[in-house]
Amino acid sequence: MYEQVSHSMLNDILIELEHDIKDKNLQHFYIRLGANFYAIYSLFHQLYGQRPNFKHQMHQLVKTLTRSYMARPQPLRKLDLAREKDHNWFLSQKWVGYALYCKEFSGDLVGLQKHLGYLQDLGINMLHVMPILDCPKDKSDGGYAVRDFRKISPEVGSLNDLDALVKNLKKNGMLLALDVVVNHTSDEHEWAIKARSGDKTYQDYYHVYDNREIPDMFEETMPEIFPETSPGNFTWDADMGKWVMTVFNSFQWDLNYKNPAVFIEMVDIILFWANHGADIVRLDAVAFLWKKIGSTCQNEREAHLILQLMKDCCQVTAPGVLFIAEAIVAPVEVIKYFGEDAINAKECEIAYNATLMALLWDAVATKKATLLNLGIRSIPDKLERATWLNYARCHDDIGLGFDDNDIRLAGYDPRLHRKFLVDYYTGNHKASSARGVAFGINRRSGDARIAGSLASLAGLESAIEANDPIAIQEAVRTILLLHSMILAFGGIPLIYYGDAIGALNDISYLLDEYKQKDSRWVHRPKMNWDKAKLRNIHGSIEQKVFSGLKKMIAVRKEISAFADHNNRELLEVENPHLFVFSRFDNINTNSRVLVIGNFDSRPQPLNIEALRKKGFFQHHTARDLHSGDNIELQDNTLEVPALSFYWLQT
Ligand code: OTU
């Protein structure tokens, strides 16, 4: 949009900039800046218009974008143009993601290159290398307490090593996702050190208070994120003689986005990693970006404005780069991180689908898809040009953030049902084979979350210990069933390292004084490459899991109905153990796939009468695209084997 006030400001900025611009090749940059400038100006004005130095900061922001564009390597500029042309590229079913901790997976970044073959064997083409930036050793929160946003942790390598990895990934058609921890820094970050030494400029980078008056007001409505290891949301810093806001761990200082300088610094950092070849930037803890007394300090409107502004800025300099929103919040709130009232994403193109993840674990524990069916219906439709990141496990805990109302509709009492789930997964339930560990127990509210590796939660650990072949088979089937759902649901599946070979819990963290209090480390094991080799031994557990998953990935890539174009229909069926939905491709092939998951440990019948009316099951057999088998239909019934799935062409 053309608007005079902002445009004349842009003219001023450009005149000022002309002096330092040596690069004449700014045509694409200028066009994008012109297109986005009014939006950038208005958002920046809404957030920071009251500041006396507003105009100066606006200049600083545009300078940052320009400088970053000038530093953007030519091949990445070309990629930006290609992605502008093929703007739906990331909605394709061809993408399959994998998240790993570099140190645990491969020792370092050089080692990671040596294991790309393993990932390619599985069919992976999007790699989320979790935080690899410099952190204090003893207070790292798994890389989420960053000391230097531009320095790779010497433990895993150097910027050169990352550049080499990027080159290799690009050569192999693989995408790279990197984290930018936008909400907080380590208390050893240079800004925190300056703040601590009394520098007011840097104290204004954080939420710093002389006494408890304001912190107490905040505390009234703020929940605790890590109640066991870091109760409360403020920490007393003796050197500074002040309280500082620390929502997560006490050594993670929350950044103050009321200060435009903070916003500009973080945009600069995002673009730094975009220029080093990140195709996707995972924005950590985005729900927390704006703090307001009297609120939970999550999902505030301004947090969305900040993300819109980050997106608009990134589009000017590096439009090919996507954002992932890591917002583990209720479905109605998550959906807003794509942006509202739009077709293409205004904030983040991709968001973690924590709702699906937690509901899948509910189905495993209850052996029923009742809550899963209800919960999925509560997720509002997302934007056309945005997509989910679907996962069964990740490096964090499993939070039971279901809607109380849905739990009631499923026939359970919300409090008791959550307690049942925690008991079920932490070994306090007779009928359970799961071997998880509680995480984040809140003594006051009674809440708790669940940690544990996918395989251990699915019962593999106890089954192996009991040397029980039937239980082992059930666990393997559960592992594959969960993956079949995240691969078929719609969105980019994200596989967690170790899960493709059934990695069990790793309790060695208990011996590490810096990790022992954070039970999430139980599912952040060192990758066992000897175990990974067993995937080639026929009949081994590793082979069953790996080859099942590998086949699924290969098949997914060939099914155009699995691309994400809001092309899913949930189908209501009588049998409560079954989760049934269809995926269709109306654009190219007119094909349809019926996805069926049976969460019970016994075979379950699906009455196909009603589905016939919807155009399914018009023949005597149906073809399962995963196994390639033709399945006989008996009259009006299809029998779905225990803990199994079908991807049917009917
Ligand atoms: C994120 O997590 C990271 O994924 C965690 O590994 C970090 O510890 C945390 O931020 C702090 O950087 O912010 O929006 O239940 O789900 O901490 C959700 C806890 C987050 C995590 C929560 C999460």
Side-chain angles (χ1 to χ4, degrees):
M1 184 177 131
Y2 173 77
E3 185 270 341
Q4 284 86 350
V5 177
S6 57
H7 199 80
S8 71
M9 186 173 205
L10 179 58
N11 286 338
D12 289 348
I13 298 175
L14 293 179
I15 289 168
E16 198 186 302
L17 270 174
E18 249 163 43
H19 301 292
D20 21 290
I21 294 177
K22 287 173 206 76
D23 188 335
K24 294 279 173 280
N25 194 8
L26 293 183
Q27 180 198 357
H28 292 295
F29 174 78
Y30 280 142
I31 294 173
R32 289 176 193 134
L33 182 63
N36 269 14
F37 190 73
Y38 176 66
I40 291 175
Y41 169 86
S42 339
L43 286 163
F44 204 72
H45 193 266
Q46 275 186 71
L47 287 160
Y48 308 118
Q50 302 310 317
R51 289 246 169 179
N53 62 350
F54 167 72
K55 213 168 156 190
H56 168 73
Q57 295 291 7
M58 193 70 232
H59 282 230
Q60 286 306 109
L61 178 60
V62 178
K63 271 189 195 166
T64 302
L65 302 183
T66 315
R67 245 185 272 121
S68 304
Y69 184 78
M70 293 197 298
R72 189 151 178 80
Q74 201 52 43
L76 295 179
R77 292 188 189 183
K78 255 177 89 181
L79 195 61
D80 289 333
L81 293 174
R83 287 181 181 164
E84 257 168 4
K85 214 173 193 166
D86 181 21
H87 50 254
N88 278 345
W89 66 275
F90 64 100
L91 304 177
S92 161
Q93 77 281 8
K94 306 266 181 206
W95 300 116
V96 178
Y98 191 95
L100 57 83
Y101 269 112
C102 180
K103 187 166 163 241
E104 279 72 14
F105 183 77
S106 54
D108 57 21
L109 286 165
V110 174
L112 182 49
Q113 288 205 55
K114 294 195 191 113
H115 289 299
L116 289 186
Y118 168 83
L119 297 171
Q120 285 179 313
D121 182 19
L122 188 58
I124 301 303
N125 48 22
M126 184 196 123
L127 204 57
H128 173 205
V129 179
M130 282 189 294
I132 41 173
L133 301 187
D134 180 46
C135 290
K137 192 171 166 27
D138 48 345
K139 303 177 295 180
S140 74
D141 188 24
Y144 288 97
V146 179
R147 180 163 53 192
D148 185 339
F149 284 110
R150 288 184 179 80
K151 182 178 168 203
I152 305 253
S153 160
E155 274 199 322
V156 298
S158 65
L159 206 47
N160 281 342
D161 296 335
L162 184 79
D163 291 343
L165 173 70
V166 167
K167 228 173 156 184
N168 201 344
L169 290 175
K170 292 249 186 296
K171 198 176 76 203
N172 287 292
M174 294 172 89
L175 304 175
L176 176 66
L178 290 180
D179 281 81
V180 176
V181 186
V182 279
N183 180 68
H184 44 262
T185 73
S186 154
D187 64 354
E188 290 184 23
H189 189 283
E190 123 184 56
W191 304 332
I193 292 171
K194 286 182 181 160
R196 196 177 283 125
S197 73
D199 187 332
K200 289 269 179 288
T201 305
Y202 288 95
Q203 287 183 357
D204 199 25
Y205 271 44
Y206 300 98
H207 302 269
V208 167
Y209 305 98
D210 292 333
N211 55 46
R212 284 296 307 183
E213 194 184 341
I214 294 174
D216 284 342
M217 285 157 84
F218 268 114
E219 288 288 14
E220 275 181 35
T221 47
M222 285 176 87
E224 290 172 299
I225 307 300
F226 296 145
E228 286 174 300
T229 48
S230 185
N233 289 286
F234 294 86
T235 301
W236 173 252
D237 189 272
D239 293 340
M240 189 163 57
K242 290 181 197 292
W243 290 94
V244 58
M245 186 185 276
T246 54
V247 169
F248 294 93
N249 287 297
S250 55
F251 50 82
Q252 287 163 308
W253 288 18
D254 285 68
L255 285 164
N256 173 19
Y257 277 89
K258 291 197 176 78
N259 180 354
V262 167
F263 177 84
I264 295 168
E265 297 265 22
M266 295 318 282
V267 165
D268 201 18
I269 290 161
I270 291 171
L271 294 174
F272 177 82
W273 292 108
N275 283 349
H276 274 279
D279 299 282
I280 304 175
V281 174
R282 176 192 183 274
L283 300 176
D284 185 57
V286 288
F288 295 83
L289 292 180
W290 195 266
K291 320 300 203 266
K292 203 178 274 170
I293 292 172
S295 77
T296 58
C297 297
Q298 287 180 49
N299 308 315
E300 285 299 310
R301 188 176 150 267
E302 289 84 350
H304 289 285
L305 298 182
I306 288 165
L307 289 167
Q308 282 168 32
L309 189 52
M310 281 180 176
K311 180 83 275 183
D312 286 338
C313 290
C314 192
Q315 277 171 345
V316 171
T317 298
V321 172
L322 307 179
F323 286 171
I324 301 181
E326 194 258 348
I328 313 302
V329 294
V332 282
E333 295 297 339
V334 186
I335 205 92
K336 295 182 191 160
Y337 290 92
F338 295 125
E340 292 177 279
D341 309 318
I343 292 176
N344 48 328
K346 279 202 300 197
E347 298 184 16
C348 300
E349 290 84 354
I350 309 173
Y352 275 79
N353 195 349
T355 307
L356 174 65
M357 181 277 296
L359 287 166
L360 287 171
W361 287 105
D362 184 89
V364 169
T366 59
K367 306 204 181 310
K368 287 198 182 114
T370 317
L371 188 58
L372 174 58
N373 268 300
L374 286 161
I376 293 300
R377 281 189 172 78
S378 314
I379 307 180
D381 275 347
K382 61 170 180 53
L383 302 182
E384 238 166 75
R385 232 177 286 151
T387 196
W388 292 114
L389 198 63
N390 294 317
Y391 61 112
R393 273 317 272 118
C394 73
H395 69 293
D396 278 334
D397 50 290
I398 303 173
L400 307 174
F402 320 112
D403 188 58
D404 278 1
N405 215 23
D406 286 342
I407 304 183
R408 276 188 218 103
L409 284 172
Y412 314 114
D413 171 83
R415 199 184 57 83
L416 292 178
H417 189 64
R418 287 203 179 85
K419 184 175 179 316
F420 156 74
L421 290 171
V422 174
D423 286 347
Y424 183 92
Y425 283 115
T426 58
N428 292 318
H429 192 277
K430 276 201 300 291
S432 168
S433 57
R435 282 282 173 83
V437 187
F439 174 77
I441 298 174
N442 190 325
R443 307 263 168 230
R444 262 178 289 166
S445 66
D447 286 346
R449 284 118 75 181
I450 297 153
S453 82
L454 189 147
S456 290
L457 293 174
L460 188 60
E461 190 173 328
S462 56
I464 291 174
E465 253 173 49
N467 202 6
D468 177 345
I470 295 175
I472 291 177
Q473 190 193 35
E474 286 193 350
V476 169
R477 284 180 165 206
T478 305
I479 295 170
L480 293 176
L481 171 63
L482 287 168
H483 283 105
S484 77
M485 294 292 123
I486 63 160
L487 267 99
F489 187 77
I492 304 172
L494 184 72
I495 294 161
Y496 187 58
Y497 80 103
D499 288 349
I501 51 165
L504 304 178
N505 284 348
D506 174 4
I507 55 165
S508 64
Y509 77 101
L510 292 171
L511 301 173
D512 183 328
E513 59 173 315
Y514 303 128
K515 294 178 178 168
Q516 59 195 187
K517 291 206 177 92
D518 188 336
S519 59
R520 290 175 298 174
W521 285 100
V522 79
H523 56 254
R524 296 169 180 178
K526 200 166 168 307
M527 182 78 176
N528 183 338
W529 289 103
D530 288 332
K531 189 171 153 66
K533 276 193 204 128
L534 298 177
R535 74 187 188 280
N536 300 316
I537 306 294
H538 189 75
S540 68
I541 294 170
E542 292 75 10
Q543 185 262 331
K544 283 179 189 155
V545 176
F546 190 91
S547 65
L549 190 51
K550 176 176 169 167
K551 179 84 184 289
M552 251 184 252
I553 291 172
V555 172
R556 166 188 154 98
K557 290 183 182 174
E558 298 308 314
I559 301 178
S560 63
F562 281 176
D564 191 15
H565 297 285
N566 281 335
N567 47 341
R568 174 184 52 249
E569 187 188 2
L570 283 199
L571 297 162
E572 227 164 293
V573 296
E574 285 154 31
N575 190 325
H577 302 286
L578 304 178
F579 184 49
V580 183
F581 59 90
S582 84
R583 301 295 318 279
F584 43 88
D585 172 9
N586 290 342
I587 308 168
N588 302 310
T589 56
N590 239 343
S591 63
R592 222 165 31 157
V593 180
L594 191 67
V595 177
I596 306 170
N598 174 13
F599 287 85
D600 196 23
S601 43
R602 289 159 302 177
Q604 288 293 335
L606 171 67
N607 181 339
I608 60 177
E609 184 81 69
L611 293 171
R612 281 212 172 101
K613 289 186 198 119
K614 286 194 166 259
F616 297 102
F617 300 111
Q618 302 302 311
H619 312 284
H620 294 298
T621 60
R623 197 173 131 74
D624 178 31
L625 295 171
H626 178 247
S627 62
D629 295 344
N630 282 322
I631 293 149
E632 294 290 328
L633 306 171
Q634 297 138 7
D635 299 324
N636 284 329
T637 315
L638 168 76
E639 195 182 80
V640 189
L643 298 168
S644 295
F645 70 96
Y646 282 139
W647 289 350
L648 292 184
Q649 211 162 36
T650 62

